[in-house]
Amino acid sequence: AMVEAGSFREDLFYRLDVVVLELPPLRERPGDVELLARRFAEKLGTRSGKPGLTLSPEALALLAAEPWPGNVRQLENFVERLIVFCDGPVIDHRDVRRELAGAGKVQHRASEASAGSLDVQEPPDSLGLDAKRRRTERDAIARALERAGNNRSLAARLLGISRRTLYNKLEELGL
């Protein structure tokens, strides 16, 4: 179509049209998710001053089960957040679940949340979803800012949001 419209050189098109690769989305390649996650952990761990950082088999299985609509870039950003927020030499399933929950990707399953986990010491007005959302956002932002040494641009990247969104949230939450 671009060749017919004259917006793409015909000779260049035929040079590039040697092999057409169909690359399915990452959600259809769980094995690739594990390989990529390991590679990102190695590369980004070294860059972050945590060489030798690894992902447990359970953590890799959780990552492979995610749909990753943002494909490789989303996975890389997620692994970078895991590295920043992980304290030990191994990123385990608890680290992955915590970050997935923080990113709003995992709903707590009934089997994981016991009926007795509701904190009855909390006043009833703090049980609303909006209050919980605000608390969760405030905690995540405070944690990201702490890990980023108060560098707001880095904190926004760690949270997977834009700088502008971070500034709006800081204002909204009174931080």
Side-chain angles (χ1 to χ4, degrees), residues 60-92:
L60 288 167
L62 282 172
L63 293 175
E66 284 298 304
W68 304 112
N71 284 308
V72 176
R73 183 163 300 183
Q74 182 187 14
L75 176 63
E76 184 175 20
N77 290 341
F78 188 83
V79 171
E80 185 174 20
R81 278 202 309 277
L82 286 172
I83 290 167
V84 170
F85 293 126
C86 175
D87 293 322
V90 177
I91 295 170
D92 68 15

Side-chain angles (χ1 to χ4, degrees), residues 36-113:
L36 287 165
R38 273 200 206 100
R39 176 70 184 110
F40 293 146
E42 179 186 312
K43 179 182 83 172
L44 299 169
T46 301
R47 189 188 302 162
S48 301
K50 298 179 181 182
L53 191 73
T54 59
L55 290 141
S56 74
E58 297 83 7
L60 288 167
L62 282 172
L63 293 175
E66 284 298 304
W68 304 112
N71 284 308
V72 176
R73 183 163 300 183
Q74 182 187 14
L75 176 63
E76 184 175 20
N77 290 341
F78 188 83
V79 171
E80 185 174 20
R81 278 202 309 277
L82 286 172
I83 290 167
V84 170
F85 293 126
C86 175
D87 293 322
V90 177
I91 295 170
D92 68 15
H93 63 95
R94 288 180 299 271
D95 297 313
V96 174
R97 284 186 201 284
R98 184 188 64 237
E99 288 308 313
L100 286 171
K105 290 193 183 82
V106 164
Q107 300 298 317
H108 286 289
R109 293 170 183 89
S111 62
E112 293 172 10

Side-chain angles (χ1 to χ4, degrees), residues 21-33 36 64 66-75:
L21 292 176
E22 287 293 326
L23 191 59
L26 204 46
R27 70 180 166 273
E28 294 175 16
R29 303 172 305 167
D32 287 1
V33 170
L36 287 165
E66 284 298 304
W68 304 112
N71 284 308
V72 176
R73 183 163 300 183
Q74 182 187 14
L75 176 63

